[in-house]
Each structure stands twice: as C-alpha cells, then as structure tokens.
Amino acid sequence: SYELTQPPSVSVSAGQTASITCSGDKLGGKYVCWYQQKPGQSPVVVIYKDSKRPSGIPERFSGSNSGNTATLTISGTQAMDEADYFCQAWDSSLGVFGGGTKLTVL
Amino acid sequence: EVQLVESGGGLVQPGGSLRLSCAASGFTFSDHYMDWVRQAQGKGLEWVGRSRNKANTYTTEYAASVKGRLTISRDDSKNFLYLQMNSLKTEDTAMYYCAREGGNGEMDVWGQGTTVTVSS
C-alpha cells in the first residue's frame, strides 16, 4: 500500500519560515493536500491541489510538490500556527494520510 | 452555513456493530463525494472510505483495514451519510469524522466527530 512519510516534529522561531515535508513514491505525480489540526479541533484544509489555498487561509501558507516530496511552507510563522499538520494524497482512488508533523513555534 | 454533524458513536463490545450518521446541511449534498476519516486518541488521521456522488453511481472505496467490515451508504433525499460498522475490533476505537470532498479531492468541510470505543 502507498505510504506518505512526514517528520514527527518541526520547530520554528516566531516570524521565521517553517517547512514541513511529505515523502512518497512518485508523489509529484499526485495532488497533495495539507490539513492543520489544533488540539481538540477537527482538521482544516490549508493547501489543496499541491499549492492552492482555500479562501480564508492566510497567504503565509504555501505548498509545492515535485519528484518524491511535497512541502508545506509557512512564512512568517505565528504562534497561532502551532498545530499538527497532515499531508494527504489519493492513490488508486484510496485516500492516504501522512503520519503527521507537530509544528512547535518557539 | 455549511455543516456536517456526526452522531451514533458509543461503547460497543468486540465483534459488535454500530451505525454512525452524518447529517449534512448548507450545501447540495448529492453533488459531493463524502468520506469517513478516523483518528485514534493521540494518533494521526486514517482514511476509512469514500462514497462517490450520484453522478458516479454512489460507488464506494475502503481502506484495507476496514474492507468487508465497514460499509458506507448515503441517503441524498435526507442529506445523510452513514457508516455501518460490523465485526468491530478494539483497534477500531477512534474519533470518526465525516468530511465533504471539494472538486479536487480535498476534504474541505469536516464534522466535529463522534467517538467509537470498542472494549469488553
């Protein structure tokens, strides 16, 4: 079965740029979504179709996908961005999530 | 307001059954693919399955871990999505979310979740 691999944790200083990676075989050939989940809350999509931002999501969130790696980038990270982030893709019509990355804002 | 509200969770013994419901409102339910996603306490998200829309003949897909035991159905006349859970195992214990798919496969609306505990 298809697997997506994320680092368990990423730390970033407030105001700096955070990058969270998601790796999978030939991932660049699939569309990737990114979800943000804060404690006790349901997930929220922050990036879809590799790099599209839903309405209401701040411009500091961006995404890219090439080769075997997709990346979620948060520019000018704010304390409110501290959360778990999950990548997700479709493989042969089956949904796959990465294991999640806990983003800590120092 | 676009909204999904899950219900039906609870405590069930191993081998038992449960049916979860997801009430949709604020959008044209019949147009959308719908998904179930679960999350064990302190763990990551796990995709459970998907129901395509009427235009795609309501076909379903399931994760290997639940195939043959969990069944997704929907009633477009009532705007409800269901998850019938049979032969439950302790590893099915989780928060279960229903989610709407947008036009590009993204899960753009999520419910608040309902908790299923499988324990003797």
Side-chain angles (χ1 to χ4, degrees):
Chain A
S1 61
Y2 195 78
E3 294 185 357
L4 294 175
T5 302
Q6 299 180 234
S9 62
V10 168
S11 297
V12 62
S13 298
Q16 298 305 302
T17 297
S19 295
I20 299 173
T21 58
C22 174
S23 299
D25 186 48
K26 300 180 177 65
L27 185 58
K30 307 177 188 299
Y31 283 135
V32 173
C33 301
W34 289 92
Y35 300 89
Q36 176 194 69
Q37 186 180 34
K38 296 181 179 179
Q41 297 184 17
S42 301
V44 173
V45 60
V46 293
I47 293 289
Y48 68 98
K49 209 173 177 182
D50 295 341
S51 60
K52 304 294 186 186
R53 205 173 46 250
S55 60
I57 300 302
E59 290 184 8
R60 64 180 180 272
F61 288 87
S62 63
S64 63
N65 183 20
S66 179
N68 294 321
T69 304
T71 302
L72 173 69
T73 302
I74 309 172
S75 304
T77 307
Q78 299 184 8
M80 68 173 66
D81 300 330
E82 186 162 287
D84 293 326
Y85 291 85
F86 297 90
C87 60
Q88 181 258 318
W90 295 96
D91 179 65
S92 301
S93 297
L94 303 183
V96 182
F97 283 97
T101 299
K102 181 176 181 59
L103 177 67
T104 300
V105 181
L106 304 172
Chain B
E1 178 193 5
V2 174
Q3 195 172 14
L4 297 172
V5 178
E6 301 93 336
S7 61
L11 174 63
V12 61
Q13 292 187 339
S17 298
L18 207 59
R19 189 176 86 152
L20 307 184
S21 300
C22 171
S25 58
F27 65 98
T28 304
F29 180 72
S30 59
D31 284 349
H32 289 266
Y33 289 20
M34 298 293 297
D35 293 80
W36 287 99
V37 176
R38 68 185 181 183
Q39 185 172 36
Q41 181 71 30
K43 303 296 185 182
L45 301 174
E46 180 186 12
W47 179 80
V48 172
R50 172 197 235 181
S51 167
R52 296 184 178 87
N53 57 11
K54 179 179 180 180
N56 290 278
T57 63
Y58 300 124
T59 51
T60 52
E61 306 282 356
Y62 299 94
S65 59
V66 307
K67 196 170 185 178
R69 300 186 301 114
L70 275 57
T71 302
I72 298 173
S73 61
R74 60 194 291 166
D75 185 338
D76 286 1
S77 69
K78 296 180 180 178
N79 292 345
F80 267 82
L81 180 74
Y82 302 102
L83 181 64
Q84 178 65 44
M85 311 172 72
N86 297 331
S87 302
L88 282 163
K89 305 175 181 180
T90 55
E91 52 262 43
D92 295 317
T93 295
M95 176 77 80
Y96 284 74
Y97 296 99
C98 69
R100 184 186 83 169
E101 282 189 43
N104 298 285
E106 76 280 17
M107 297 175 208
D108 65 348
V109 179
W110 294 67
Q112 85 289 348
T114 188
T115 301
V116 173
T117 302
V118 184
S119 175
S120 55

